[in-house]
């Protein structure tokens, strides 16, 4: 069983930055794709970014391209989400997830493609 623990959330002003971390334990070599999702109150959970664990290919939602960067440290079993130029609309609970499916073909943004989820970390951006 794989466990995911997110950290790094907080409150910032618009234009600020945060770096989220997702530490994985009970790691399985079958994991193919790691993703970050977010959910704002009253909205659906949406994919923000994904990364192919084996090769490092990255994928982003249009709304965060050029502002967010997903990366991984395989030695530490940790995935990061660097968030720059934050906007009030980025306010949400952010979740890390692990998938046994490859990221490509748009699978990275499908909630049902992910087997394991963290508990989430809150990001609040004020104007």
């Amino acid at each position: 069983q794989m466990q995911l623990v997110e950290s790094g959330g907080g409150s910032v002003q618009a234009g600020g930055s945060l770096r989220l971390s997702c530490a994985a334990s009970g790691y399985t070599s079958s994991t193919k794709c790691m993703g970050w999702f977010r959910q704002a109150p009253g909205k659906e959970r949406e994919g923000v970014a994904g990364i192919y664990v084996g090769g490092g290919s990255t994928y982003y939602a249009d709304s965060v391209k050029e502002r967010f960067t997903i990366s991984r440290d395989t030695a530490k079993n940790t995935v990061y989400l660097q968030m720059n130029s934050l906007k009030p609309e980025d306010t949400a609970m952010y979740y890390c997830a692990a998938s046994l499916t490859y990221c490509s073909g748009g699978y990275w943004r499908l909630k049902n493609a992910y087997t394991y989820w963290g508990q989430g970390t809150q990001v609040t951006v004020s104007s």
Side-chain angles (χ1 to χ4, degrees), residues 1-4 24-28 115-117:
Q1 189 78 2
M2 192 173 183
Q3 292 82 42
L4 303 173
S25 60
Y27 184 78
T28 170
T115 304
Y116 303 104
W117 290 84

Side-chain angles (χ1 to χ4, degrees), residues 4 6-7 19 23 29 45 55 72 104 106 109 111 115 122:
L4 303 173
E6 303 96 334
S7 61
R19 188 176 82 154
S29 58
R45 190 172 297 191
R72 80 215 192 282
S104 58
R109 63 171 75 237
K111 297 187 295 291
T115 304
Q122 178 68 37

Side-chain angles (χ1 to χ4, degrees), residues 60-69 82-85:
Y60 296 95
D62 288 344
S63 59
V64 305
K65 277 181 182 176
E66 310 301 328
R67 300 189 299 123
F68 290 12
T69 302
Q82 178 67 43
M83 305 186 296
N84 300 327
S85 302

Side-chain angles (χ1 to χ4, degrees), residues 41-99:
K43 293 191 175 181
E44 292 286 322
R45 190 172 297 191
E46 62 173 353
V48 175
I51 186 166
Y52 169 45
V53 174
S57 297
T58 57
Y59 308 83
Y60 296 95
D62 288 344
S63 59
V64 305
K65 277 181 182 176
E66 310 301 328
R67 300 189 299 123
F68 290 12
T69 302
I70 188 171
S71 61
R72 80 215 192 282
D73 185 331
T74 53
K76 295 182 178 179
N77 287 338
T78 301
V79 175
Y80 304 98
L81 186 68
Q82 178 67 43
M83 305 186 296
N84 300 327
S85 302
L86 282 161
K87 304 175 181 180
E89 50 263 44
D90 294 320
T91 295
M93 184 72 79
Y94 282 71
Y95 298 90
C96 173
S99 172

Side-chain angles (χ1 to χ4, degrees), residues 6-12 18 20 36 39-41 83 88 90-95 119-125:
E6 303 96 334
S7 61
S11 297
V12 295
L18 285 172
L20 306 184
W36 283 98
Q39 188 167 19
M83 305 186 296
D90 294 320
T91 295
M93 184 72 79
Y94 282 71
Y95 298 90
Q119 294 300 305
T121 184
Q122 178 68 37
V123 171
T124 302
V125 185

